[in-house]
């Protein structure tokens, strides 16, 4: 299969691109996401893809969507930030575009992009964890994307690390997303500032603000990069949580490479340093087992587009057999 289109559906923007077999994006387009309307969201996806199809010989479309996607890669079972509930998105879009359409979880699509063309392109076993507002992830085992029996495997951000801890948007308490995400970074930074901490007040000054409510993740990242002690400590804490969680994930999947992406990964070594230390400390039997390689994602915001487009070239997995 030659050219395919990858569509990355976010809470505010739908980004689409024509992708070749080499993983390179040619033409691009985007639309705003009408998140409160199922019909309008499907229409916006179709419009974006149709714009690209008009100028390119496209053979299939892959859509990366946040939420649970059925094992046959056609239906969005549930999306936390969009109005999809048992939405037959693949069939709806295919009917309009007249080409095959594959739907995949957006974090899975990004992980596949990094596996096929990015930071893990030289291995067969990898874990990709995206640290942004929340935490997403994808797992590739033996060159195959792990989907599970129902298509909803590898929700890495909802691995519980603190029983009875902070309430998560998924309804559970203590998910790693509540401790190692960009949202957690901002929550802790604001709490420090509101406590009257002199170190946090200095951090606000470095960020050019006085009101803790205005503090953002990129501000903390910038302050930490500049060496602000409070911001560096916040990253140390976040990295510790992340490294501890990744130690458990590595115990389960034994990856050759762990790829860290998402907006918070822009901190680079600030994040990797503390995460690696915590990982090494918490990995079981660490002196008697090979350790995975850590690396930052290479494809940035394009990973979802590239991964979704490449997955559209691949046959659907066989349905789960029940005994």
């Amino acid at each position: 299969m030659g050219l395919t289109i990858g569509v990355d559906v976010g809470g505010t923007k739908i980004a689409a691109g024509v992708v070749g077999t080499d993983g390179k994006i040619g033409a691009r387009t985007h639309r705003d996401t009408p998140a409160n309307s199922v019909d309008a969201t499907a229409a916006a996806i179709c419009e974006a893809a149709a714009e690209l199809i008009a100028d390119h010989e496209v053979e299939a479309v892959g859509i990366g969507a946040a939420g649970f996607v059925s094992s046959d890669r056609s239906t969005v079972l549930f999306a936390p930030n969009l109005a999809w509930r048992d939405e037959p998105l693949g069939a709806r879009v295919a009917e309009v575009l007249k080409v095959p359409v594959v739907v995949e979880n957006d974090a899975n699509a990004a992980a596949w992009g990094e596996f096929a063309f990015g930071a893990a392109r030289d291995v067969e076993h990898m874990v990709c964890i995206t640290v942004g507002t929340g935490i997403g992830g994808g797992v590739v085992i033996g060159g195959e994307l792990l989907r599970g029996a129902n298509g909803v495997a590898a929700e890495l951000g909802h691995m519980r690390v603190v029983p009875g801890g902070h309430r998560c948007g998924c309804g559970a308490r203590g998910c790693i997303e509540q401790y190692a995400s960009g949202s957690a970074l901002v929550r802790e930074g604001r709490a420090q500032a509101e406590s009257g901490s002199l170190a946090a007040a200095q951090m606000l000054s470095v960020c050019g603000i006085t009101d803790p409510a205005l503090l953002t993740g990129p501000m903390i990242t910038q302050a930490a990069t500049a060496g602000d002690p409070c911001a560096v400590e916040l990253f140390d804490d976040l990295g510790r949580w992340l490294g501890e969680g990744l130690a458990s994930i590595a115990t389960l999947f034994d990856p050759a490479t762990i790829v860290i992406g998402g907006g918070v990964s822009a901190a680079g070594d600030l994040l990797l340093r503390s995460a690696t230390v915590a990982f090494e400390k918490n990995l079981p039997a660490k002196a008697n087992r090979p350790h995975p390689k850590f690396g930052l994602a290479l494809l940035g915001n394009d990973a979802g587009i590239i991964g979704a487009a490449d997955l559209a070239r691949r046959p659907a997995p066989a349905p789960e057999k029940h005994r």
Side-chain angles (χ1 to χ4, degrees):
M1 192 175 289
L3 294 178
T4 54
I5 288 174
V7 183
D8 187 12
V9 183
T12 59
K13 185 177 78 171
I14 296 167
V18 177
V19 182
T21 56
D22 59 357
K24 303 295 185 183
I25 300 178
R28 301 171 182 261
T29 190
H30 68 274
R31 297 289 190 279
D32 292 335
T33 304
N36 294 323
S37 170
V38 171
D39 292 339
T41 300
I45 293 170
C46 291
E47 288 173 7
E51 177 185 328
L52 298 172
I53 289 172
D55 296 322
H56 299 84
E57 292 290 334
V58 170
E59 299 186 45
V61 172
I63 301 172
F68 295 159
V69 177
S70 62
S71 57
D72 63 357
R73 306 189 301 175
S74 64
T75 302
V76 183
L77 304 175
F78 168 78
N81 299 314
L82 295 167
W84 289 323
R85 301 293 185 272
D86 292 319
E87 170 63 20
L89 182 64
R92 290 188 66 169
V93 175
E95 183 178 6
V96 174
L97 299 179
K98 309 303 181 186
V99 296
V101 175
V102 165
V103 184
E104 185 55 79
N105 170 268
D106 61 340
N108 278 353
W112 186 262
E114 291 291 342
F115 169 75
F117 302 105
R121 61 186 179 275
D122 57 344
V123 303
E124 291 293 302
H125 304 266
M126 65 86 76
V127 168
C128 179
I129 189 163
T130 55
V131 186
T133 302
I135 288 182
V139 177
V140 176
I141 302 295
E144 296 293 334
L145 189 61
L146 178 67
R147 292 185 176 87
N150 301 297
V152 298
E155 287 286 337
L156 303 183
H158 300 291
M159 179 177 68
R160 193 167 70 157
V161 293
V162 181
H166 291 298
R167 175 78 70 183
C168 183
C170 73
R173 287 185 178 272
C175 296
I176 192 172
E177 181 172 291
Q178 294 304 306
Y179 298 87
S181 66
S183 295
L185 182 72
V186 172
R187 183 191 68 227
E188 294 302 310
R190 289 176 178 173
Q192 287 265 25
E194 290 165 356
S195 72
S197 160
L198 293 178
Q202 174 62 32
M203 179 181 67
L204 293 183
S205 177
V206 170
C207 295
I209 59 174
T210 57
D211 183 356
L214 300 178
L215 189 64
T216 65
M219 287 180 182
I220 298 174
T221 300
Q222 185 175 3
T225 303
D228 177 79
C230 182
V232 169
E233 183 179 355
L234 288 169
F235 265 98
D236 284 344
D237 288 344
L238 185 147
R240 175 177 60 81
W241 283 111
L242 182 63
E244 290 179 5
L246 288 174
S248 295
I249 290 168
T251 302
L252 289 174
F253 299 117
D254 187 28
T257 297
I258 294 175
V259 177
I260 301 176
V264 179
S265 70
D269 287 341
L270 273 171
L271 178 62
L272 281 183
R273 182 175 62 246
S274 55
T276 302
V277 169
F279 178 86
E280 297 284 347
K281 183 178 179 180
N282 290 277
L283 185 67
K286 54 181 175 289
N288 299 291
R289 63 185 296 162
H291 290 201
K293 178 177 68 174
F294 272 57
L296 294 173
L298 297 180
L299 302 181
N301 292 331
D302 289 339
I305 293 174
I306 294 169
D310 195 60
L311 288 169
R313 299 186 179 94
R314 300 175 182 273
E320 176 76 2
K321 294 181 179 179
H322 298 277
R323 291 182 291 176

